[in-house]
């Protein structure tokens, strides 16, 4: 496993990392309405989350986003590790997109107007899978 990312991986790592880090920082200061909305949407899709305290859930989600964003931005984190973290995180978000009613057009994977904000998670999933695949296939 390479310690430093390949040069051509940097744009994808920087773009995804900055986006996720910013989102995590914003979520760290979420107000009660945002906390309730984020928790409600997540619990509606993943019912086991309904047992979690909403503020604690959003706090942990914020920390996870900050950690994944930092892993992508810090060049000493191997691309496979950063890609695995991004893939796991984006996989959960893609599940949210696929399982939440109203996010997609009827009978389609295409996003509805409400789902456009979540559809970008497919890009994040693709970046994570690409980082991992390149490291595996290079061996």
């Amino acid at each position: 496993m390479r310690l430093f990312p390949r040069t051509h991986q940097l744009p994808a790592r920087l773009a995804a990392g900055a986006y996720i880090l910013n989102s995590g920082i914003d979520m760290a200061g979420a107000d009660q309405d945002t906390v309730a909305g984020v928790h409600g949407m997540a619990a509606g899709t993943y019912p086991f989350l309904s047992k979690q305290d909403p503020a604690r859930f959003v706090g942990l989600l914020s920390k996870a986003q900050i950690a994944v964003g930092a892993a992508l931005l810090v060049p000493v984190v191997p691309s496979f590790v950063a890609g695995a973290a991004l893939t796991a995180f984006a996989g959960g978000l893609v599940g949210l997109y696929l399982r939440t009613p109203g996010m997609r057009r009827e009978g389609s994977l295409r996003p509805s107007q409400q789902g456009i904000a979540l559809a970008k998670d497919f890009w994040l999933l693709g970046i994570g899978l690409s980082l991992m695949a390149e490291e595996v296939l290079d061996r």
Side-chain angles (χ1 to χ4, degrees):
M1 186 176 336
R2 291 174 161 262
L3 183 59
F4 292 101
R6 293 170 174 86
T7 305
H8 68 272
Q9 293 174 334
L10 291 175
R13 284 184 66 157
L14 293 173
Y19 183 85
I20 293 173
L21 180 63
N22 181 64
S23 182
I25 291 169
D26 285 349
M27 194 169 291
D31 60 28
Q32 288 298 353
D33 289 340
T34 302
V35 167
V38 169
H39 181 260
M41 186 173 185
T45 302
Y46 299 112
F48 70 92
L49 294 175
S50 64
K51 297 176 184 166
Q52 294 288 317
D53 173 66
R56 179 166 160 53
F57 169 74
V58 170
L60 291 172
L61 181 60
S62 169
K63 288 176 177 76
Q65 286 179 300
I66 290 168
V68 171
L72 288 160
L73 292 171
V74 175
V76 295
V77 176
S79 289
F80 185 86
V81 174
L86 180 57
T87 298
F89 187 76
L93 295 173
V94 166
L96 193 68
Y97 171 78
L98 293 173
R99 297 177 63 191
T100 302
M103 295 295 116
R104 295 177 290 123
R105 295 179 188 187
E106 190 68 35
S108 174
L109 286 176
R110 293 178 59 205
S112 65
Q113 194 63 35
Q114 297 83 4
I116 289 175
L118 288 177
K120 56 90 177 83
D121 299 324
F122 281 96
W123 301 339
L124 297 174
L125 181 62
I127 291 169
L129 290 171
S130 294
L131 290 170
M132 291 174 60
E134 183 172 18
E135 297 304 313
V136 169
L137 295 173
D138 193 43
R139 290 182 188 185

